[in-house]
Amino acid sequence: MLILVQLTSHNMIYTREQRQSAYKKLPSEVQDLIMSNETTELIATTLKEAGLNDEQSNLADSEILYAMFCLQSLNDTISNIAKLINKNPDDLSKIRSVVQDNILSKYKIDIKEFIETNKTSESSVPEIPSINLPMVEE
């Protein structure tokens, strides 16, 4: 359990709402690309070829999804995967190039702009008025 806590503290954990919101902002052709069997199989094969076990592949897959949803950059994704599986980011260059060349390069959007938009929306937490505080009168 201690190891898990240590590992997850390195990377950003996105809520279901953040992931859904980011996904919905993407154009439909990007959504289709992300959800295609071809993309899913490509990522699974690439992670297996990189020598990741099932648990590591699941963690890496989540990180790659964050990049595909434009929640974080591919560099952050690779860095997080490296920390999670205790490898040098340079050892993951094949994963980086496969994701960049076969997926992200097909996006017809400004990925950096989408990442910035998602960062600003994730930091704006709705203010909840407290109804049980005493009124302050002058």
Side-chain angles (χ1 to χ4, degrees), residues 67-84:
M68 293 192 310
F69 286 5
C70 298
L71 284 164
Q72 66 189 20
S73 71
L74 183 56
N75 285 341
D76 288 345
T77 291
I78 297 299
S79 174
N80 289 341
I81 293 171
K83 288 175 190 165
L84 288 167

Side-chain angles (χ1 to χ4, degrees), residues 38-126:
E38 184 183 333
T39 298
T40 308
E41 288 171 23
L42 177 70
I43 291 169
T45 302
T46 304
L47 296 177
K48 191 171 279 186
E49 287 172 0
L52 277 60
N53 64 32
D54 287 348
E55 186 182 348
Q56 292 171 330
S57 289
N58 287 335
L59 294 168
D61 191 60
S62 293
E63 289 292 328
I64 291 169
L65 265 180
Y66 298 156
M68 293 192 310
F69 286 5
C70 298
L71 284 164
Q72 66 189 20
S73 71
L74 183 56
N75 285 341
D76 288 345
T77 291
I78 297 299
S79 174
N80 289 341
I81 293 171
K83 288 175 190 165
L84 288 167
I85 65 171
N86 206 15
K87 282 195 176 197
N88 185 318
D90 297 337
D91 297 341
L92 305 175
S93 61
K94 173 119 172 70
I95 296 173
R96 177 194 308 270
S97 62
V98 165
V99 172
Q100 179 59 51
D101 299 346
N102 298 288
I103 302 165
L104 299 179
S105 67
K106 295 179 181 177
Y107 284 24
K108 290 175 177 61
I109 58 170
D110 183 339
I111 292 175
K112 284 190 174 114
E113 196 176 294
F114 270 76
I115 290 171
E116 283 308 308
T117 303
N118 287 325
K119 277 185 184 165
T120 54
S121 66
E122 91 186 22
S123 60
S124 60
V125 177

Side-chain angles (χ1 to χ4, degrees), residues 128-136:
I128 302 167
S130 48
I131 52 176
N132 59 351
L133 291 178
M135 285 274 292
V136 178

